[in-house]
Amino acid sequence: MNAPILAPSLLAGDHGALADGAAIVSRLGLAWLHLDIMDGHFVPNLSFGPETLAALRRHGSTLFFDTHLMLSEPHLFIDPFARAGANRITIHIEPALDHATVLKSIRAHGCEAGIALNPGTPAKAVEPFLDQVDLVLVMTVQPGFGGQAFREDTLPKIAQVNRWRSERGLDLRIEVDGGIEHSTAVRCRANGADTFVVGTHFFAARDRAALAASFAAL
Ligand code: DX5
Ligand code: ZN
């Protein structure tokens, strides 16, 4: 079982002070920052773009940028996000595109590659790509907005991806994103998740160090 990683989502931070949000994460000794990129088309919301990542780098952030592209046309943005400082780029399985080629292009840009699936998408949709990714992101809410309630019905999907991982000896992380707090993370962990995106509950926490410690102990 991979060690747990807490990846705070900057979407829930102060958008007028994003570099400060990234600094809060690194001061806690955490290594990852989750960046939610939305296009107003694949999801009904907008967030930020490559220039935001580049600015965070200019402001000195050395965090691992875990970049989640909620885009209908992610292939148009691999190069800009890689140049801007993304370390991992995750694309969704739902848009009709040549996923294998896009995943290859992510790796050719020197980034790790991830594939994400929405709550309504069956696990078997990502099965053909498991040997081409470093991470499977099982969305535990319908993407687009922070602060939504965790969906219990996604747990069997986490378990299924975990079974494939062990049966096939795959080296990949299983990430969950949406409505994650300690209690929901425990249930995801029991089903095989090892990477936990936390937006609202991270930035709203009164004691973020205690929260980070509780995730490290999952
Ligand atoms: C949902 C985003 C999530 C979101 C999680 O569209 O992909 O990363 O920021 O936020 P919380 O933790 O608030 O559910
Ligand atoms: Zn996300």
Side-chain angles (χ1 to χ4, degrees):
M1 189 100 130
N2 289 324
I5 289 179
L6 168 59
S9 168
L10 199 55
L11 186 69
D14 177 352
H15 286 222
L18 292 173
D20 295 346
I24 287 172
V25 174
S26 40
R27 275 201 303 271
L28 284 172
L30 297 171
W32 285 41
L33 184 68
H34 186 81
L35 294 149
D36 284 307
I37 312 299
M38 304 182 181
D39 66 354
H41 186 259
F42 178 68
V43 290
N45 197 6
L46 295 166
S47 56
F48 25 72
E51 179 50 26
T52 313
L53 277 71
L56 294 171
R57 289 294 186 219
R58 281 199 303 276
H59 282 262
S61 183
T62 56
L63 290 165
F64 182 91
F65 285 176
D66 178 36
T67 313
H68 176 195
L69 302 187
M70 287 163 271
L71 310 179
S72 297
E73 301 200 292
H75 49 287
L76 303 179
F77 296 95
I78 303 308
D79 187 63
F81 278 106
R83 283 173 192 276
N87 296 102
R88 167 167 292 152
I89 299 180
T90 297
I91 60 168
H92 268 262
I93 192 68
E94 291 84 8
L97 46 100
D98 179 356
H99 292 88
T101 299
V102 184
L103 292 168
K104 264 195 216 108
S105 143
I106 292 170
R107 286 180 163 174
H109 278 84
C111 296
E112 295 182 11
I115 192 89
L117 67 171
N118 285 343
T121 304
K124 64 175 180 351
V126 299
E127 192 189 358
F129 304 100
L130 294 180
D131 58 354
Q132 298 164 49
V133 296
D134 304 287
L135 172 136
V136 174
L137 167 50
V138 179
M139 288 305 303
T140 44
V141 298
Q142 183 65 23
F145 300 90
Q148 303 182 70
F150 176 80
R151 286 185 51 165
E152 296 285 334
D153 60 343
T154 59
L155 290 172
K157 225 158 37 175
I158 299 166
Q160 175 63 74
V161 176
N162 188 41
R163 271 196 300 278
W164 285 328
R165 174 169 65 178
S166 28
E167 284 163 14
R168 299 172 195 185
L170 297 165
D171 180 17
L172 57 85
R173 300 196 71 91
I174 301 178
E175 183 174 61
V176 288
D177 183 0
I180 301 298
E181 55 186 310
H182 188 261
S183 63
T184 50
V186 166
R187 296 212 286 293
C188 294
R189 182 72 168 153
N191 284 277
D194 48 45
T195 307
F196 304 89
V197 176
V198 184
T200 305
H201 290 278
F202 177 83
F203 282 99
R206 244 178 299 164
D207 186 347
R208 295 194 192 101
L211 181 133
S214 74
F215 274 78
L218 276 171

